[in-house]
Amino acid sequence: MGKRDVSGGMKVGDVLRNADLGLDKDVSDDRKLRGKLKALKKETISAAERTAHLSQLTLTERTGFLETESPLERTFKVTQEQILEGSDTATKNRGSFKLELGNTGLGPYGAQYSRSGKLLLVYSRSGHVSVTNWTKLQQLSEIYLNQTVRDGTFLHNDSYFALAQRKYVGIYDSSGIELHVLRKHSNPIGLEFLPYHFLLASLGERGGLQYTDTSTGEVVAELKTSYIGGASSISLNPFNACIATGHSNGTVALWSPISSEPLVRILANRGSINSIAITQDGTYMLTSGSDACCNIYDLRTYKKLNCIRLPVAANRSIFSQRNLLALSFGPNVKIYKDIFSESTIGAPYMENLYAGRVVESLSFCPYEDVLGVSHSKGFCNMIVPGAGVANFDSSLPNPFETSKQRRQREVRSLMEKLQPETISLDPTSIGGIDKDPAERLKDIQLKKREAERAQRAKSLQKKRTRGRNKIAKKLKRKQQNVVDEKSESIRRALQERKEQANPKREEEDFVDPVLKRFEKKND
């Protein structure tokens, strides 16, 4: 067995993600503005090219995948023991890290790595929670909550984490001290944190999707998803910060806190959605359902690309930084590579069997070729060559940052915090130039006037059926059709009184007004 080395340098597309500002089109009639924007685009592209060129010299780390020596060998037959035997000391220490917690009787366990990959959060259904610096084998805190913990996630840095407990969501620091209890998040089953918006999203058992700003403590939005179907899973799109929820009828919905209706609804599977996984660039989504099918969708066109059929339904799925897919069902963990094509997906890239255990959750460690597998009896690492990015970004949480860098990054992220209104399906549209703002404003005003006119007409419309079904009204209508002696005497008396008030004139004295002009006048 050998490894295939791939250059660790960055490309221009990695540095300049959105270099095309739409300046090739006629977006403005102002020649001065067009010239400034073109100059800005040229400077941005040249800076990206310089950064990519320097990365070839400074970023010496390289990444690679497992590669067989002969075409008859298969990479999924390589065991973890064989990989550890041929690895260096650092890789052996990372791959051999495990927590045997079967004797505690508090399982099953779940786990998640922090965004920097430095800390590991381990939690159990019975309330056993631990935060560990797994690279130094140092335990920072360990608490026993004596209540159900369904999910957990780190917040904006490694110092804080949130737990989805039986009734509410609790926020703790790395030393295990409870800081807040979010009682608006009732009966949560899943948590997701939006790091650039400082929003904590939770999905409740009854389908309530709550957004809370962790910097101010305010509830940003409370959305109802129960009318789509029973809530079963939640996931975050890292590219546009939209929340994806899976439901019992096989539907996947994408949500934004500024909209009470889902932005997109997809009928993804024929059974209940067990888990949802989205790539780092937000291009592809995988849904695993109870029908034992893992469907892959292109989020640019919302079309189904491929399908992975398993012997049983997968309960967890996750993508790595380099788009390797990890699936778990029962005691099995399978890793797939190159699945974003319409060709048939063959054998997995890697696989591993945890005999006598049931896998509960999966978590790729950032910047490392490590997959964290938590099961019914504890936690262990699995070496997956090619899973992580070899070179970290200093502007993001990195495993080597000091306390001063962490404080500076926290202050900078608070100052640059994005508002919930910026969450949309296409975040690149923000900051663009409208081609004809006057025409667009005219259409908006016309629609507004039409809506006001319809509302005014609706308010002026009378409800003529009001009170018609009351008992007194029903009896009165029935009494009008009854003819008896009393009603006849009253009717005759009213007719006589009317005739006395307006007596009839004699026929001889009566002359038609039309013929009155022919009447002879007396001299």
Side-chain angles (χ1 to χ4, degrees):
M1 302 299 298
K3 283 191 176 182
R4 181 182 60 190
D5 291 337
V6 181
S7 176
M10 304 178 75
K11 298 180 181 180
V12 178
D14 298 332
V15 181
L16 185 64
R17 197 171 182 181
N18 298 316
D20 186 8
L21 303 177
L23 301 176
D24 298 333
K25 303 176 182 178
D26 186 15
V27 296
S28 176
D29 296 333
D30 192 347
R31 295 179 59 186
K32 186 176 180 180
L33 176 61
R34 256 199 329 266
K36 288 183 178 180
L37 292 177
K38 287 183 179 180
L40 178 62
K41 178 181 178 181
K42 185 177 180 180
E43 292 178 1
T44 307
I45 294 176
S46 62
E49 291 176 349
R50 289 195 301 269
T51 304
H53 175 68
L54 292 175
S55 68
Q56 300 290 337
L57 304 176
T58 58
L59 303 179
T60 58
E61 296 292 335
R62 300 181 181 275
T63 58
F65 297 101
L66 280 177
E67 192 176 76
T68 58
E69 295 180 353
S70 66
L72 298 178
E73 293 181 340
R74 295 291 182 267
T75 56
F76 67 86
K77 293 185 178 180
V78 181
T79 62
Q80 290 293 304
E81 290 76 11
Q82 293 175 346
I83 294 177
L84 292 176
E85 287 178 2
S87 303
D88 56 1
T89 304
T91 305
K92 287 182 180 179
N93 294 335
R94 296 186 184 96
S96 60
F97 178 80
K98 61 177 63 176
L99 299 174
E100 293 292 342
L101 303 172
N103 297 329
T104 61
L106 300 176
Y109 283 86
Q112 187 183 33
Y113 284 104
S114 62
R115 293 177 62 210
S116 65
K118 187 177 179 180
L119 299 186
L120 174 66
L121 172 64
V122 180
Y123 52 89
S124 73
R125 284 294 182 91
S126 301
H128 180 206
V129 182
S130 173
V131 178
T132 306
N133 187 339
W134 71 282
T135 58
K136 297 181 179 179
L137 302 179
Q138 179 184 0
Q139 188 179 49
L140 302 182
S141 64
E142 184 179 12
I143 55 178
Y144 295 89
L145 299 177
N146 296 325
Q147 60 176 307
T148 303
V149 176
R150 299 186 180 95
D151 197 6
T153 182
F154 282 97
L155 300 184
H156 57 279
N157 58 28
D158 298 350
S159 302
Y160 306 97
F161 62 91
L163 297 175
Q165 302 176 15
R166 183 172 62 89
K167 286 187 176 181
Y168 312 113
V169 173
I171 297 179
Y172 301 81
D173 62 0
S174 58
S175 60
I177 299 176
E178 185 181 55
L179 303 178
H180 301 284
V181 177
L182 305 179
R183 300 186 183 276
K184 292 286 186 179
H185 301 249
S186 60
N187 302 320
I189 62 174
L191 296 176
E192 288 292 345
F193 183 72
L194 285 62
Y196 301 106
H197 302 78
F198 280 76
L199 294 179
L200 178 63
S202 71
L203 183 64
E205 285 183 344
R206 299 179 180 178
L209 182 59
Q210 305 278 344
Y211 286 87
T212 298
D213 192 335
T214 57
S215 62
T216 61
E218 297 179 356
V219 178
V220 175
E222 298 181 10
L223 308 178
K224 293 182 180 180
T225 67
S226 56
Y227 67 92
I228 300 177
S232 57
S233 60
I234 182 174
S235 182
L236 172 66
N237 188 334
F239 177 62
N240 54 19
C242 290
I243 292 293
T245 58
H247 300 271
S248 58
N249 57 359
T251 303
V252 175
L254 301 180
W255 299 86
S256 173
I258 62 173
S259 176
S260 59
E261 295 292 329
L263 305 178
V264 176
R265 291 174 62 177
I266 305 173
L267 184 59
N269 291 75
R270 296 183 179 179
S272 177
I273 303 296
N274 295 334
S275 67
I276 304 171
I278 302 176
T279 57
Q280 296 293 323
D281 57 359
T283 306
Y284 302 100
M285 178 181 67
L286 179 134
T287 61
S288 60
S290 58
D291 55 353
C293 290
C294 298
N295 297 324
I296 303 168
Y297 289 89
D298 190 340
L299 292 181
R300 296 167 295 184
T301 59
Y302 303 104
K303 292 183 179 180
K304 181 178 176 181
L305 295 180
N306 219 322
C307 176
I308 302 175
R309 297 188 180 275
L310 300 174
V312 294
N315 60 346
R316 290 292 181 270
S317 60
I318 189 172
F319 281 106
S320 70
Q321 289 181 319
R322 301 193 64 198
N323 293 339
L324 292 183
L325 172 65
L327 297 174
S328 67
F329 53 94
N332 300 282
V333 175
K334 292 182 180 294
I335 313 295
Y336 289 87
K337 186 182 70 169
D338 300 331
I339 60 174
F340 305 123
S341 62
E342 296 182 358
S343 59
T344 305
I345 299 175
Y349 170 59
M350 293 184 66
E351 65 180 11
N352 196 19
L353 175 65
Y354 297 91
R357 295 167 173 82
V358 178
V359 178
E360 293 294 331
S361 71
L362 302 172
S363 179
F364 277 104
C365 181
Y367 314 112
E368 296 287 349
D369 294 342
V370 171
L371 172 64
V373 180
S374 55
H375 45 74
S376 56
K377 295 184 179 180
F379 174 86
C380 62
N381 276 340
M382 177 180 175
I383 299 296
V384 183
V389 176
N391 302 289
F392 63 88
D393 190 351
S394 60
S395 63
L396 299 176
N398 65 83
F400 305 107
E401 69 178 359
T402 61
S403 58
K404 183 178 179 180
Q405 291 175 342
R406 179 180 57 81
R407 289 194 298 268
Q408 291 177 349
R409 183 176 54 80
E410 186 173 1
V411 173
R412 191 186 311 112
S413 59
L414 281 171
M415 295 176 64
E416 298 174 353
K417 183 181 74 170
L418 300 177
Q419 296 300 318
E421 290 78 10
T422 60
I423 299 177
S424 62
L425 292 177
D426 185 14
T428 59
S429 61
I430 299 175
I433 300 176
D434 199 348
K435 188 171 183 179
D436 193 356
E439 190 68 23
R440 178 179 171 83
L441 183 61
K442 185 177 179 180
D443 293 341
I444 294 175
Q445 292 176 350
L446 179 61
K447 291 180 180 179
K448 184 178 179 181
R449 286 196 297 268
E450 291 178 354
E452 291 177 351
R453 193 181 300 112
Q455 186 68 21
R456 195 182 304 112
K458 185 177 180 181
S459 61
L460 293 176
Q461 186 178 3
K462 294 182 179 180
K463 297 182 179 180
R464 299 183 178 181
T465 60
R466 185 176 180 181
R468 291 189 62 185
N469 293 327
K470 292 183 178 180
I471 297 177
K473 296 286 186 179
K474 290 181 179 180
L475 294 176
K476 187 175 180 180
R477 286 196 299 270
K478 290 181 179 180
Q479 193 68 24
Q480 290 177 356
N481 299 326
V482 177
V483 178
D484 54 0
E485 185 178 355
K486 184 177 180 181
S487 61
E488 283 294 328
S489 61
I490 293 174
R491 191 176 293 111
R492 285 194 298 271
L494 290 174
Q495 187 68 20
E496 291 176 358
R497 191 179 305 171
K498 187 176 180 180
E499 291 176 356
Q500 291 177 1
N502 300 316
K504 293 183 179 180
R505 290 178 290 180
E506 299 294 338
E507 292 184 0
E508 59 272 8
D509 297 336
F510 175 76
V511 179
D512 195 330
V514 179
L515 304 176
K516 195 172 183 180
R517 56 183 176 174
F518 300 105
E519 185 179 1
K520 293 182 178 181
K521 296 181 181 180
N522 297 327
D523 295 336

